[in-house]
Every structure is written in structure tokens, then in C-alpha cells.
Amino acid sequence: MPGGHGMSTAVGTRDFLLPDLGEGLSEAEIVEWRVAVGDVVTVDQSVVEVETAKAVVDVPCPYAGRVVALHGAAGEVRPVGQPLITIAPLDDAPDPHATYREEERAGSGNVLIGYGTGHGGSGRRRRRPRLALAPEAAPASVDPARTGGPAAAPLVISPIVRRLAKEHGIDLASLRGTGPGGVIRRADLDAAVAAAAPAARLAAVPDAPAAHVGLAPAGDGDTVIPLTGIRKVIADKLSRSRREIPEVTIWVDVDATGLLETRAAINAATPEAPVSILALLARICLSGLRKFPQLNAHVDTEGQRIIQSAGVHLGIAAQTDRGLVVPVLRDAQRLTTRELAAALAETTAAARAGTLPPARLTGGTFTLNNYGVFGVDGSTPIINHPEAALLGVGRIVDKPWVVDGQLAVRKVTQISLTFDHRVCDGGVAGGFLRHVADCVEQPALLVANV
């Protein structure tokens, strides 16, 4: 059904389907409904807040009318392409299909990544049957062939729940659903997985890879954490990076005393708009990529080619309560240093709050990772696939350093560059890292190159 929109089985009503929320995201958890059954909504009004593995987003509805059904409760995981809300026309309103077409021609402005009321459909996703969650209607919506039993079998709506139950060897008939009408939700399944006996879990997966045979089972008191949500996204992406990218890491110690002094001077002159060390490091990265554009690239394995990006879409690794995310500053080379500082502060705060839209978490061409905030000196990080390079910065600490032949105490840090050896050789990588190091030690060189 194009663009996440669908026709309901009830005459005159429209089902709005959960749209595609971004790269690699096939489901979302309902956080909070913004409307209730009986409410009147307008085109592009936010109707529900959902959480994906990458962000929390408000979802606007492309239809106007009265809410007649909400599909799913808070805490329930909904797959992309299944109904979220059903809208009926008001008694005195024109045909809802005509209303939608007028809004479509007008170019409705409230667009979420992956869909929009101003776009025609590709028809790539078939509409699934509308799922009624009312307790009295729930038994009729159960497909015996899909649940593995007669209509009296457990109420399972989500195909994800069925798939995960099969993978973990969980008998759905043994679970008590906490969803509307007794529907078994993903939270019910996760609880069962965590509580299941180790032997039962292993025996329930007859097709487990041979590599699992020698693994020690979970013992009494062990904590079992299902690899789902953002942890699964991170695991899949990093595993793919390690499989596909022949990465190399080089590093150097640098005297950052001059960089700290430069930041202090800038902030003393304009305290109303402070500049962070991260912003200065980002400016140095942009200068380096201008000189060594080979690192602002990715490898197209299918096309057997290297694509150097015209703009620098700078990713900033940020640790959040939900896991590691890499929000992206698009066309960062167009920003001044103060604009970089403001954008970095806003972006990292939104990332930690989980309010960045999925579009801000994809499409990077180069990543800056300040792992020094964790109190470590060095790292050999994994490249953020499909990018070709990542600059890492360790903590800045007092260390003995030779200056003009004399031993002195200086502010020293270690910087590292992890790069895809397919896009360049050591000369380019070493040249970039040396440029960064020189600009950190002598910020005047940065001014000469921007």
C-alpha cells in the first residue's frame, strides 16, 4: 500500500499503516497515543509517538476525520505496514478519498522519513488485514494456520512475536497475553525468554548452527538479555563492517596545549557563544578531508567502484542510555566553527534524549569519535559502515613533553585514524592524520587552510 496508507474494510473509513521509518527499521514500539477513539483529527496532526531502534518520533496522520480505532496499546511493537489508526469521515465532510487527494496535490508539509502525504505510492508493500483489538472481536482475527492451532489458540497478532517465539523455542500456548483481549505482546515473549530454562531453550532450536554446540549454557542466576532493538541494530551493523571492510588503524600522540589555549581565547572574546573542543576537532577534520577527499568516500561493492562524496556528512558518535548512535551533520563543511559548535550541542542533546528523527542517524560519510570522554587514551574502533574512515580522540591529560629541547608538562592526547584500505593506501591516511595532528598542535595552520 503506497506511502503507508490503506483502505479499511469498513465503508468510507481509511486505515493509516505504520510507515517505513528509516534504513533497516522494520518495526516500532508505541510509546504514547496522542488521540483517542472519537477524537476529530486534521491532516498531518500528530497521532502517536513511537520508538524505533534508533529514535523516538511523532507520527502524523495523512487523513482528516474522526478516530474510530487505534491499533495497538502503549508498549506494543507494531511491524511496518500494519494499521496504526482508522479514520472515518465526519458526517458533514466530503468524500475522504477526495479530501486526501486535495491534500496530496497541495503538498502537505508534515513529512516523516520513508513516507509523506505529498508523495505518490510505489505499491511495493501489500496491505495487511486490519487487526481489531477489541476483546470481543479478537478471536475472529486470529488465523489458526499462523498461530498453529484452532481459534481458541493464543491470540498473536505480531508476526515478529511468532518469529521470535520460534527462534527461542517458546510455546506461545504457555504464555498469558497482557495486551488488549489477551493478545500476546513482545514484552510477554521477552519475559518468557528471560525466564526459560537453559536446557529447554537449547532443545527447542533443532536447527541451531553447529558453532553453538560447544557454548556453555546459562546457569542459575545468570542474566539473559535478548539481542533485540537497538542492540541488535548495532550488532548487525558492526558485524557487517568487520566482515566487509579491511580496516587499518594508525595513531599518534599530539600536544593539544595550543588547541586548548585557542578555545579559551575564543570563548573569552565571545562568552555568549562558546566553542567546544569537539567543534574545533570537527573543523580540523573538515580541513583534513578537504585536503584528502579520498577518505570522505565509500566502496560500492556491487558496482565495483569507490564513490567520493561531494559534501561532508559528519557523523558524531554519541553514547546514550539506549546505546551508541551516530547522528549526522549534513554538509558540515558549509558551517562556520560557531555553527558547528551549536549544531553539535543541539544534536548530541537530542540524540541522548532520543528525539532525533531516523533521517538524522543515517547517511554519514565520515565519523568523529571522542572516546576520551570515557577516560581512555586510545582505541581501535570499528568503522561506521558504509563509511571509509573514522577519527578517534582520546582523553587530554598532563604528560611530560619535550618543547624546544626542554622537558615540560603539556596537555597531550592520542588521536587515531581507522580507515578502509580499499579507498586509499598508507600515504593518504598518514597524510590526513599528520594534518590533523599539526592543526591540533598549531591551530594557526588551521586558519591558513580554511
Side-chain angles (χ1 to χ4, degrees):
M1 191 56 57
H5 318 309
M7 173 68 98
S8 175
T9 53
V11 177
T13 63
R14 300 280 285 187
D15 283 339
F16 173 45
L17 312 182
L18 177 64
D20 181 356
L21 296 171
E23 178 185 352
L25 301 177
S26 60
E27 63 185 26
E29 178 179 335
I30 295 172
V31 176
E32 179 183 4
W33 283 103
R34 307 292 196 194
V35 296
V37 173
D39 288 354
V40 174
V41 297
T42 58
V43 170
D44 278 341
Q45 178 178 336
S46 176
V47 294
V48 65
E49 181 184 62
V50 301
E51 181 175 13
T52 70
K54 292 186 175 181
V56 176
V57 294
D58 278 309
V59 180
C61 179
Y63 308 127
R66 189 178 303 280
V67 178
V68 295
L70 304 177
H71 303 284
E76 181 176 335
V77 175
R78 302 291 288 168
V80 166
Q82 287 205 357
L84 269 181
I85 188 170
T86 301
I87 305 293
L90 301 177
D91 294 338
D92 56 350
D95 171 53
H97 310 153
T99 300
Y100 173 75
R101 285 193 296 271
E102 286 299 322
E103 292 294 337
E104 187 174 43
R105 283 194 292 267
S108 174
N110 204 356
V111 177
L112 187 66
I113 180 69
Y115 83 102
T117 57
H119 291 73
S122 63
R124 69 182 185 277
R125 186 175 285 117
R126 296 192 299 271
R127 177 178 64 84
R128 301 179 185 179
R130 181 168 64 86
L131 305 176
L133 296 184
E136 62 273 15
S141 69
V142 176
D143 183 350
R146 299 176 69 182
T147 57
L155 303 183
V156 183
I157 290 176
S158 171
I160 296 175
V161 169
R162 285 190 292 272
R163 174 174 58 80
L164 292 176
K166 182 177 180 181
E167 290 176 358
H168 290 284
I170 299 296
D171 181 7
L172 289 172
S174 66
L175 303 185
R176 178 180 178 183
T178 59
V183 170
I184 296 175
R185 298 161 51 184
R186 183 166 176 174
D188 302 323
L189 180 63
D190 288 344
V193 170
R201 284 201 307 276
L202 293 176
V205 189
D207 297 327
H212 290 182
V213 173
L215 296 181
D220 293 340
D222 289 352
T223 300
V224 178
I225 303 173
L227 195 59
T228 58
I230 192 169
R231 291 265 33 112
K232 186 177 189 305
V233 171
I234 293 172
D236 291 345
K237 191 162 190 176
L238 295 182
S239 296
R240 182 179 182 184
S241 179
R242 270 291 160 87
R243 286 195 307 270
E244 296 184 7
I245 299 178
E247 62 189 18
V248 178
T249 299
I250 57 178
W251 59 89
V252 64
D253 290 339
V254 295
D255 179 2
T257 306
L259 189 67
L260 292 176
E261 291 173 347
T262 298
R263 183 193 62 166
I266 293 173
N267 292 343
T270 54
E272 71 282 359
V275 170
S276 64
I277 284 293
L278 187 63
L280 293 177
L281 291 169
R283 172 56 61 206
I284 292 172
C285 279
L286 295 170
S287 173
L289 292 173
R290 181 180 179 182
K291 190 174 181 179
F292 299 94
Q294 300 93 324
L295 294 169
N296 190 48
H298 71 274
V299 175
D300 175 9
T301 53
E302 292 186 2
Q304 289 295 294
R305 56 185 181 170
I306 298 171
I307 300 176
Q308 290 184 16
S309 300
V312 180
H313 307 315
L314 185 63
I316 304 295
Q319 187 67 43
T320 74
D321 291 340
R322 299 172 61 246
L324 178 67
V325 297
V326 186
V328 176
L329 303 184
R330 299 195 178 279
D331 291 310
Q333 79 282 358
R334 298 180 180 177
L335 303 178
T336 67
T337 302
R338 290 197 186 283
E339 289 171 340
L340 274 174
L344 286 168
E346 175 273 328
T347 300
T348 53
R352 293 188 177 105
T355 58
L356 282 176
R360 291 290 309 279
L361 297 168
T362 59
T365 60
F366 185 93
T367 293
L368 174 59
N369 185 0
N370 179 20
Y371 44 73
V373 297
F374 302 117
V376 299
D377 296 321
S379 171
T380 56
I382 298 175
I383 293 174
N384 186 28
H385 185 279
E387 298 170 17
L390 178 153
L391 182 77
V393 183
R395 61 176 180 159
I396 301 176
V397 295
D398 290 338
K399 284 188 177 181
W401 197 262
V402 176
V403 180
D404 297 329
Q406 300 295 320
L407 191 63
V409 176
R410 306 288 283 183
K411 300 292 185 181
V412 178
T413 186
Q414 184 183 96
I415 57 175
S416 66
L417 176 71
T418 300
F419 67 98
D420 184 340
H421 216 320
R422 296 173 298 178
V423 304
C424 70
D425 295 324
V428 169
F432 173 87
L433 187 62
R434 191 63 254 171
H435 175 83
V436 170
D438 290 344
C439 288
V440 169
E441 293 188 336
Q442 304 176 63
L445 294 177
L446 177 61
V447 177
N449 287 279
V450 295

